[in-house]
Amino acid sequence: MKTVIIGSGNVAYHLAKALLGSGVPLVQIFGRNTEQLRSISYETGVPFSTETLSDADLYIISVRDSTIGEVSRKISNPYSLVVHTSGSIPLDALEGNYHKGVLYPLQTFSKSKPLDYKKIPFFIETQFPEDRVILKNFIKNISPKIMYADSTQRQYIHITAVFVCNFVNHLFAKGKEIADREDIPFEYFLPLIEETVEKIKEVTPKQAQTGPAVRNDKNILVRQENLIQDEMALAIYKIMNQSIQKMYEL
Amino acid sequence: MKTVIIGSGNVAYHLAKALLGSGVPLVQIFGRNTEQLRSISYETGVPFSTETLSDADLYIISVRDSTIGEVSRKISNPYSLVVHTSGSIPLDALEGNYHKGVLYPLQTFSKSKPLDYKKIPFFIETQFPEDRVILKNFIKNISPKIMYADSTQRQYIHITAVFVCNFVNHLFAKGKEIADREDIPFEYFLPLIEETVEKIKEVTPKQAQTGPAVRNDKNILVRQENLIQDEMALAIYKIMNQSIQKMYEL
């Protein structure tokens, strides 16, 4: 399958690396940002363009959510399969007369950080049932973890990812603010953080819960509320404890 | 040093295992819960009692926060060093005429799960400066990561731990609720969760932040708010995004 990647952000970069690493050649990387395209092209050896989109069997659109519709109108081959990679955008945001699909990699990408692509779950959706097999066989080159999810399911997958990745990272950031203020090196918390993740591989998060809220230790809850100086940290503290206590009916 | 552990919960259990594993003998495990004491004693070979507290040079009190004061009154040897293991309780909660200290292991413990004790950071505090060296040399048997923290600092260490462990785990639990409702296996999120933790070993959490809030993607934020059905999940969603946007001044 002649494959073109459209976009030059973190997802486009890593998909290009993952595909080339699995022996899938790319015809072109297409986009607007010349500098980023040149950098990906230099690293991968794939030609890039900001002007003329190559003809292809498969177009993978990895651009910011708000520009997917606009970008997808550049493709005119009705036999092509055109997929975007967004968690929150429905399949029919692709505007054009071609085969539509979605290829959502459930991972957080930064350009600087290498990833084990084989571990990434891919959620796929296609407009036509026959394209499902085609897309699945294509992605099997990267990862064996492929699951079908329609646009509604995918939106909830994305929301879950926001909770377990984006919000978790923000708790790390707020925790670090508190530790920094007391001159406690944040790296001391890494074994605790790693163990928090290790636990949920063996028991459910609900079973793994520890801390003053689930112990219903009101003395500590009140004392900690009084110690937290940052307004947003305090708001988070209150709502999280309330939610923990509601989950355990305390 | 003749050492006694008081308590039979998760921390007492793991401290006993860690000390014995490092070749530090224990004189006794003392507590109230006969069943749990018998189980620890059976596994470690250390005698237990619910009645007569052995004489010792070092008493490690690992009981629930609210009973530390009461338990500590049982010790009458003025030459003993008596430490509790709580993050939130000040040193002077120990009531008695002996040398007082604190030995706070920064980790989340479950009885069923083995731990690499060498990775646990221990925060110590002592009433008398000369006991600091004694306690430090004792704990070096378990872990090289030992830091001094006074009662105020330790309270903030505990609050940070609540954010990066207890609250993070609750986000996993709320995320799992959302995924379960859509029949998405939660284990699909594990690579994403692991990568979220890997990232903060290389950059600060503030630098690692991704997601719709830090991208200031208002369309997605509004759409996701409308999709979340659970009241507490929605409250968490709103406050976390607000806090992220405040941190980045968006």
Side-chain angles (χ1 to χ4, degrees):
Chain A
M1 284 220 285
K2 279 165 62 180
T3 305
V4 164
I5 289 182
I6 304 180
S8 60
N10 293 345
V11 178
Y13 167 80
H14 279 289
L15 279 178
K17 292 243 304 178
L19 288 167
L20 293 165
S22 325
V24 178
L26 297 173
V27 172
Q28 185 187 52
I29 300 172
F30 182 87
R32 280 189 311 196
N33 188 319
T34 309
E35 200 182 322
Q36 285 183 202
L37 288 169
R38 183 172 289 127
S39 154
I40 299 177
S41 178
Y42 180 81
E43 192 176 331
T44 59
V46 179
F48 76 92
S49 175
T50 59
E51 302 282 332
T52 316
L53 185 62
S54 289
D55 189 48
D57 304 307
L58 174 64
Y59 292 92
I60 302 174
I61 303 181
S62 287
V63 298
R64 44 168 59 240
D65 287 358
S66 54
T67 56
I68 288 174
E70 178 199 332
V71 166
S72 73
R73 285 198 294 271
K74 293 185 193 294
I75 302 158
S76 52
N77 184 340
Y79 301 106
S80 296
L81 175 59
V82 180
V83 301
H84 73 67
T85 60
S86 165
S88 286
I89 300 295
L91 176 134
D92 53 23
L94 296 165
E95 301 171 19
N97 177 29
Y98 40 67
H99 295 227
K100 296 171 188 174
V102 179
L103 174 64
Y104 172 48
L106 185 59
Q107 189 48 282
T108 173
F109 298 96
S110 359
K111 251 181 197 158
S112 58
K113 207 171 163 311
L115 274 173
D116 184 356
Y117 301 117
K118 284 191 292 294
K119 280 189 182 172
I120 300 176
F122 282 90
F123 290 90
I124 62 173
E125 179 180 7
T126 59
Q127 182 182 15
F128 304 113
E130 62 269 27
D131 291 329
R132 201 184 290 191
V133 182
I134 294 171
L135 193 54
K136 193 171 174 175
N137 284 334
F138 178 78
I139 287 308
K140 266 203 301 203
N141 290 301
I142 301 181
S143 164
K145 291 185 174 175
I146 304 162
M147 198 175 153
Y148 194 81
D150 65 25
S151 290
T152 303
Q153 276 182 306
R154 198 172 54 254
Q155 287 186 316
Y156 283 105
I157 296 167
H158 189 213
I159 292 173
T160 306
V162 167
F163 274 72
V164 304
C165 168
N166 306 151
F167 290 172
V168 162
N169 182 74
H170 185 61
L171 287 178
F172 296 155
K174 294 305 282 183
K176 186 173 186 299
E177 281 183 349
I178 298 167
D180 285 351
R181 219 175 288 130
E182 294 293 318
D183 290 323
I184 315 292
F186 189 66
E187 56 263 36
Y188 275 73
F189 294 89
L190 284 175
L192 174 66
I193 290 169
E194 288 180 333
E195 181 64 15
T196 305
V197 172
E198 283 305 306
K199 270 192 180 178
I200 62 160
K201 297 179 184 169
E202 300 189 8
V203 296
T204 66
K206 188 168 177 185
Q207 291 167 325
Q209 190 66 52
T210 55
V214 73
R215 277 201 313 272
N216 204 14
D217 189 336
K218 296 218 162 62
N219 290 331
I220 301 290
L221 292 174
V222 171
R223 197 177 319 156
Q224 294 193 329
E225 276 191 18
N226 291 329
L227 283 166
I228 296 173
Q229 288 142 27
D230 175 77
E231 190 196 347
M232 287 313 309
L234 184 59
I236 292 169
Y237 185 84
K238 286 180 179 173
I239 208 77
M240 293 299 288
N241 284 330
Q242 199 187 328
S243 179
I244 291 170
Q245 298 216 308
K246 186 158 188 194
M247 183 174 274
Y248 298 86
E249 291 167 20
L250 295 170
Chain B
M1 283 219 287
K2 278 165 63 182
T3 305
V4 163
I5 289 182
I6 304 180
S8 60
N10 295 345
V11 178
Y13 168 80
H14 279 289
L15 280 178
K17 292 244 302 178
L19 288 168
L20 293 165
S22 325
V24 178
L26 296 174
V27 173
Q28 185 187 51
I29 301 172
F30 182 87
R32 279 189 311 195
N33 187 320
T34 310
E35 201 182 322
Q36 284 182 204
L37 288 169
R38 183 173 288 128
S39 152
I40 300 176
S41 178
Y42 181 80
E43 192 177 332
T44 59
V46 179
F48 75 92
S49 175
T50 59
E51 302 283 332
T52 316
L53 185 61
S54 289
D55 189 49
D57 303 309
L58 174 64
Y59 292 92
I60 301 174
I61 302 180
S62 286
V63 298
R64 42 168 61 241
D65 288 358
S66 53
T67 57
I68 289 174
E70 179 199 330
V71 166
S72 73
R73 285 199 295 271
K74 292 185 193 293
I75 303 159
S76 51
N77 185 341
Y79 300 106
S80 297
L81 175 58
V82 179
V83 302
H84 74 65
T85 60
S86 165
S88 287
I89 300 295
L91 175 132
D92 54 23
L94 296 166
E95 301 171 20
N97 177 28
Y98 41 67
H99 295 228
K100 297 171 188 176
V102 180
L103 173 64
Y104 173 49
L106 185 60
Q107 188 48 282
T108 172
F109 298 97
S110 359
K111 252 182 197 156
S112 59
K113 205 167 164 313
L115 275 172
D116 184 355
Y117 301 116
K118 284 191 291 295
K119 281 189 182 170
I120 301 176
F122 282 89
F123 291 91
I124 62 173
E125 179 180 8
T126 58
Q127 183 183 13
F128 304 114
E130 63 269 27
D131 291 330
R132 203 184 286 192
V133 181
I134 294 171
L135 194 54
K136 193 170 173 175
N137 283 336
F138 178 79
I139 288 307
K140 265 203 301 205
N141 290 301
I142 302 182
S143 163
K145 291 185 174 175
I146 305 162
M147 196 174 154
Y148 194 81
D150 65 25
S151 291
T152 304
Q153 276 182 307
R154 198 172 56 253
Q155 287 187 315
Y156 283 105
I157 296 167
H158 189 215
I159 293 174
T160 306
V162 167
F163 273 72
V164 303
C165 168
N166 305 150
F167 290 172
V168 161
N169 182 75
H170 186 61
L171 287 178
F172 295 156
K174 294 306 282 184
K176 186 172 186 299
E177 280 183 349
I178 299 167
D180 284 352
R181 219 175 287 129
E182 293 294 317
D183 290 323
I184 315 291
F186 189 66
E187 56 262 36
Y188 277 73
F189 295 88
L190 285 175
L192 174 65
I193 290 169
E194 288 180 334
E195 180 65 13
T196 305
V197 172
E198 284 305 307
K199 270 190 179 178
I200 62 161
K201 297 179 186 171
E202 301 190 8
V203 295
T204 66
K206 188 168 177 185
Q207 291 167 323
Q209 190 66 52
T210 56
V214 73
R215 279 201 313 272
N216 204 12
D217 189 337
K218 295 219 162 60
N219 290 331
I220 301 291
L221 292 174
V222 171
R223 197 177 319 155
Q224 294 194 329
E225 276 191 17
N226 290 329
L227 283 167
I228 296 174
Q229 288 141 28
D230 175 76
E231 192 197 344
M232 286 312 309
L234 183 59
I236 292 169
Y237 185 84
K238 286 181 179 172
I239 206 79
M240 293 299 290
N241 284 330
Q242 200 186 328
S243 179
I244 291 169
Q245 298 214 310
K246 185 157 189 195
M247 182 173 274
Y248 298 87
E249 291 166 22
L250 296 170

